[in-house]
Amino acid sequence: MISGTATFLVVVLTGFDYPVGTWTVATIALIIPALVVGWLAARKRVLAIAAQRVGDTGAFPVVANLPVDEGN
């Protein structure tokens, strides 16, 4: 996991890389709120779809059946 100091240094050093890095750091301030708003807008639909699929995992089960050890 990246520490807060390392993350800060990456953002600061990217910001000094004019012009591409400056635009990259500036757009982060727009992208993060857009992702949060998008999730809040879609959250109810995602939860409704998940509620419909309770117990239905498709062709491949999420929880695998453990093999039975018949020798013991």
Side-chain angles (χ1 to χ4, degrees):
M1 186 167 173
I2 298 177
S3 69
T5 303
T7 303
F8 175 77
L9 287 174
V10 168
V11 170
V12 168
L13 292 175
T14 304
F16 281 123
D17 184 25
Y18 182 79
V20 176
T22 306
W23 281 105
T24 302
V25 173
T27 56
I28 289 173
L30 299 174
I31 291 171
I32 291 175
L35 289 171
V36 170
V37 169
W39 169 246
L40 292 175
R43 179 174 51 177
K44 289 180 184 175
R45 274 196 327 240
V46 170
L47 292 175
I49 292 169
Q52 290 175 352
R53 293 184 50 90
V54 168
D56 179 25
T57 59
F60 304 103
V62 175
V63 179
N65 294 329
L66 297 175
V68 177
D69 186 14
E70 294 178 14
N72 289 335

